Amino acid sequence: MIERFETDDPYDARIAVGATGLLRAFNRGGVITAADVHVATRVGELTRTADESVRLGVALAVRAARQGSVCVDLAALARDAADAADDSASLPWPAAEGWVERIAASPVAGSSVVQVEGPLLYLDRYWREEGQVRDDLLGRGAAQPPATDEERLAAKAEAVFPGEGYAEQRAAALAAVRQWTTVLTGGPGTGKTTTVAGLLTLLTDQAEATGRRLRIALTAPTGKAAARLQQAVEEAQRAERFTDDDRARLADVGASTLHRLLGWRPESSTRFRHHRGNKLPHDVVVVDETSMVSLTMMARLLEAVRPDARLVLVGDADQLASVEAGAVLSDLVQGLAARAPEAVASLRTTHRYGRSIGELAEALRDGDGDRVLALLRGGDPAMELVDPDDGAAMAGLQGLLVDHALAVRAAALDGDAAAALAALDRHRLLCAHREGPWGVQHWNRQVERWLGDATGQPVGAAWGHEWYAGRPLLVTANDYGLDLFNGDTGVVLREGEDLRAVIAGVREHLRLAPSRLGDVDTLHAMTVHKSQGSQAREITVLLPPEDSPLLTRELFYTAVTRAEERVRVVGSEAAVRVAVAARAQRATGLRRRLAEPGSGS
C-alpha cells in the first residue's frame, strides 16, 4: 500500500505550486510533498538532469527517508501502485523495468547524490552509513576473539546465573563474554537487564584476575531509558547471588544518553567528539533500547567504539523503530543471524508479567488477531477492551484519568516529590497521534479540563495557567546545560509560595524553576513513540480509527508492553484487527548487506 495524502486546499503546504511534469502529477496525487519536489527539482538543476523519471526517483528517495526508510525499491513501488485499490494506479508511473538503471546511469548518480545498490535507490548519505555499519560490524566479527579464563568464567557464571531457571540468560552472557559484539534481544520481562547485570559481573571478574579495572559505559537513546537501565542494573545486583565484591566493582558505573556518551557538539547534529580518530576509552559499551537507534546514530557509535571493546546492543526487535531513518535492530537480528548466529542472543522466557500480558504480547508478535481479541475480551483483570462508543465505559475512563491526575496533584500540593513521581508512574495514557480527537494534544487538554472541573480551579494553558501544582511533565529535547534529556519525566510541585519542576533521576531528582524549562509537554497523555524505554503499572492505549496510517502491529505491541500489571485498550474491533495485521514496513538494505558477504559499499 502506498501512503498518500489528500487535500482540497490549493494553499496546503504539501502542494508545490510551481511543480511540472511527473513531479506535479505525483505531488497532486498525494504521493510526494512539496519538500520532496523542491529537493528533486534543485538536484536536477544542479546536475543538469532533465529526465523526469530520474527526478521523480530522487523525490521518492527523499520521501522514503522522510518516512523512516533508508532506500526505496522503485520497481516494487510501481508494482504496488498497479495493484492498489486507491487512485495510485492512475498516476503516470514510469515503466518499472529499467527505471533504477536509468537513474544509475544519470548525472544524479554520477554526482553521488544518489546510489544504486541492486534494486534499491539510496540517498548517498544513507548508502554510505549503511555500508559503514556493515563493514564495522563484520570487521569486529572477524577479529581475534577476546581471551578468557574459561574455568573461572564457568564457575562465576554458575554462581551468577544458577540452575535451569537462568539457562537462557547464562548462555547469552557467556556468548557476550567470548566475543566483541553481541545483539541481546527479547521481549519485555525476558530478563535482558538481569542478563546485562550478570554479564558485567562476569567481565569485571575476568578483569579482576588480571589486575585490570574495566571502563564500562551504559547508554540509551533517551535520558529516561538511560536512567531506567542504570536503575534496573543496580536493582538486579541486589540479588543474593551477587557478592559485595561484585557490587563494589560496578559501584561507579553510570548511564548516559548516546549523545552525551559520544560527545554532543552544538554545531552538528550528526557528528560527535568521539569518532574513528578519537575512540571512546571504554572497554565495555552496553546500549539499551537499540530499537530506537537510527542508522545514523549506529554509524556514529560503531566508528567511536574501540575494536577491542565489547559492544552489547540490547533491545526488542518487535518494537517500533527509531523515529529517524532505519530499522537497525531488526536488521541486525536477522542479518547477523544469517551470517554469524552466535552474535545474536535471544531471550524468550517471560519473567516480569503475569501470564496474561505475556500471552497478549505473544499473540501480537504472531499477528493473531482472533487471539488478541479473545484475550482482551476474556474477562482477565489484567486486561480489557473498551469500545469507544460505549458511553458508560468511556465515563469510567474519564473517572480513572481524573483520579490519577488528582493523586499526582495531591502529592504535588504537599511538596512530596517522591510520592508525586510514584503516582505519575502508576498509570500512563498512550496515543498513536499527536493531534486530532485521538491525539495527545486533545487528551492533555481534556484531562486538564476535567481536573479543573474536579478542583474548581481551572488549569492549563487554555485558561492561562500553564504551570500548576500536579502538572506532569515530559522533556521533549536534550538540554545539556540543565542536564535534561529527551524522554525525561517529572512533575510540578508546590514549595511554599513557589512552584518547582522536579525531573525524575536515578539517584537524585533535579529541581528547577519552571521558567528555566523550554522544551516540555504536559504528560497526562503521551505518544507511544515517546513511551519507549519506560513502563507504568497500568497502561491505557487509545487506538485511532482503522483508517489511521499509524495503526500498526509494532505500535500496538510497543504500547501494550509498557504495562507492568494491567493494560486497557480503547478501540473498536476493526481497529484492533487492523493494528494486528498492519506492519510498519521500512525499506533498508542492511539486513541483506550483512547476510551476503559480497554486498556492500
Side-chain angles (χ1 to χ4, degrees):
M1 177 179 171
I2 298 173
E3 185 178 327
R4 299 166 62 243
F5 67 87
E6 295 183 8
T7 182
D8 295 324
D9 181 4
Y11 300 103
D12 190 315
R14 294 171 294 183
I15 299 298
V17 177
T20 60
L22 284 179
L23 293 178
R24 175 183 174 84
F26 280 78
N27 176 227
R28 298 303 171 104
V31 175
I32 55 177
T33 66
D36 308 326
V37 171
H38 295 324
V39 172
T41 300
R42 186 59 176 155
V43 165
E45 292 170 350
L46 290 174
T47 60
R48 299 181 180 180
T49 301
D51 189 328
E52 290 189 4
S53 69
V54 173
R55 291 192 179 195
L56 177 60
V58 173
L60 291 170
V62 174
R63 168 188 182 267
R66 182 170 48 77
Q67 294 181 340
S69 294
V70 298
C71 56
V72 60
D73 186 333
L74 295 177
L77 200 64
R79 287 193 297 269
D80 289 346
D83 298 333
D86 56 25
D87 293 336
S88 299
S90 64
L91 292 171
W93 289 90
E97 185 176 352
W99 189 3
V100 74
E101 288 78 10
R102 288 198 301 278
I103 297 175
S106 74
V108 171
S111 302
S112 294
V113 175
V114 297
Q115 301 284 349
V116 172
E117 178 84 19
L120 304 177
L121 176 66
Y122 290 79
L123 296 179
D124 180 72
R125 164 188 163 182
Y126 295 116
W127 178 79
R128 293 185 182 278
E129 287 176 345
E130 209 175 71
Q132 181 216 309
V133 168
R134 185 198 91 107
D135 293 345
D136 284 344
L137 284 171
L138 295 187
R140 291 176 61 83
Q144 186 72 20
T148 57
D149 181 337
E150 286 296 325
E151 184 176 348
R152 182 173 180 131
L153 178 61
K156 190 65 176 177
E158 189 56 45
V160 174
F161 300 105
E164 283 303 307
Y166 290 97
E168 274 187 347
Q169 297 168 18
R170 182 171 61 248
L174 287 171
V177 171
R178 295 172 177 141
Q179 59 194 1
W180 296 118
T181 307
T182 303
V183 178
L184 176 62
T185 184
T190 53
K192 296 190 295 295
T193 307
T194 302
T195 304
V196 168
L199 166 63
L200 296 179
T201 300
L202 298 184
L203 291 172
T204 53
D205 183 69
Q206 289 279 300
E208 182 79 8
T210 61
R212 296 179 58 226
R213 187 173 182 84
L214 293 181
R215 291 163 293 187
I216 299 171
L218 302 179
T219 187
T222 68
K224 183 69 172 179
R228 286 194 62 85
L229 172 62
Q230 182 175 338
Q231 183 178 26
V233 168
E234 290 175 353
E235 290 176 352
Q237 290 171 334
R238 295 184 189 131
E240 291 183 2
R241 63 185 186 276
F242 292 91
T243 68
D244 290 341
D245 286 342
D246 294 335
R247 299 183 189 99
R249 294 184 194 120
L250 296 170
D252 297 330
V253 175
S256 69
T257 65
L258 269 170
H259 279 79
R260 180 173 285 280
L261 175 69
L262 295 176
W264 174 78
R265 297 191 330 198
E267 71 273 13
S268 173
S269 61
T270 60
R271 288 293 172 181
F272 300 88
R273 183 165 56 87
H274 290 288
H275 46 74
R276 205 172 297 280
N278 181 30
K279 300 282 190 180
L280 289 165
H282 302 90
D283 303 295
V284 182
V285 177
V286 178
V287 183
D288 198 15
E289 298 293 346
T290 306
S291 63
M292 300 169 66
V293 178
S294 68
L295 175 63
T296 298
M297 279 301 293
M298 183 57 67
R300 300 293 83 80
L301 173 68
L302 286 171
E303 69 182 15
V305 175
R306 293 188 352 238
D308 60 344
R310 286 179 178 84
L311 175 63
V312 184
L313 303 171
V314 186
D316 184 349
D318 293 308
Q319 283 188 189
L320 285 167
S322 164
V323 295
E324 299 175 51
V328 175
L329 181 59
S330 177
D331 285 344
L332 295 188
V333 168
Q334 298 186 51
L336 286 179
R339 176 70 173 267
E342 67 280 0
V344 179
S346 298
L347 303 178
R348 304 188 184 281
T349 304
T350 301
H351 304 282
R352 178 203 300 167
Y353 299 127
R355 179 176 55 86
S356 304
I357 296 180
E359 287 184 355
L360 181 60
E362 183 178 356
L364 281 167
R365 282 196 300 267
D366 293 342
D368 188 342
D370 291 337
R371 180 66 175 152
V372 169
L373 285 164
L375 287 168
L376 289 173
R377 291 169 168 166
D380 192 303
M383 64 185 68
E384 68 173 316
L385 178 64
V386 174
D387 185 343
D389 293 327
D390 184 336
M394 294 302 287
L397 175 60
Q398 175 181 338
L400 169 74
L401 296 175
V402 172
D403 287 346
H404 179 249
L406 287 171
V408 175
R409 179 179 173 82
L413 287 170
D414 289 340
D416 190 336
L421 291 169
L424 181 62
D425 284 340
R426 281 200 284 271
H427 179 266
R428 194 77 84 231
L429 177 64
L430 303 183
C431 306
H433 292 263
R434 283 194 55 81
E435 301 175 352
W438 295 99
V440 166
Q441 294 179 358
H442 169 80
W443 282 88
N444 273 324
R445 291 191 299 267
Q446 187 69 272
V447 174
E448 286 183 330
R449 282 195 291 270
W450 290 335
L451 180 60
D453 291 341
T455 62
Q457 299 176 346
V459 296
W463 298 96
H465 301 286
E466 180 181 15
W467 296 99
Y468 55 90
R471 180 190 178 191
L473 301 174
L474 173 68
V475 177
T476 58
N478 295 335
D479 187 329
Y480 294 93
L482 294 178
D483 212 28
L484 293 174
F485 301 97
N486 186 7
D488 285 352
T489 58
V491 67
V492 178
L493 300 185
R494 169 72 66 186
E495 292 188 348
E497 297 299 317
D498 299 322
L499 294 177
R500 282 287 180 271
V502 178
I503 307 300
V506 178
R507 294 191 173 97
E508 60 181 354
H509 305 315
L510 183 65
R511 292 173 179 261
L512 297 165
S515 60
R516 300 187 67 188
L517 296 176
D519 296 306
V520 293
D521 283 344
T522 302
L523 186 57
H524 293 298
M526 71 189 305
T527 63
V528 177
H529 261 107
K530 287 287 187 181
S531 75
Q532 287 180 271
S534 66
Q535 279 83 39
R537 186 182 304 172
E538 183 176 352
I539 291 292
T540 298
V541 186
L542 296 180
L543 292 183
E546 59 268 27
D547 59 354
S548 168
L550 298 184
L551 201 55
T552 65
R553 186 187 307 173
E554 289 78 6
L555 178 132
F556 198 5
Y557 173 86
T558 301
V560 163
T561 54
R562 300 310 90 204
E564 294 175 338
E565 298 177 5
R566 193 169 193 278
V567 62
R568 176 184 301 98
V569 177
V570 180
S572 65
E573 176 178 333
V576 170
R577 289 193 179 279
V578 169
V580 174
R583 302 304 305 269
Q585 300 290 351
R586 288 191 170 187
T588 75
L590 181 58
R591 184 178 312 172
R592 179 181 61 82
R593 294 170 87 171
L594 281 170
E596 299 177 4
S599 65
S601 56

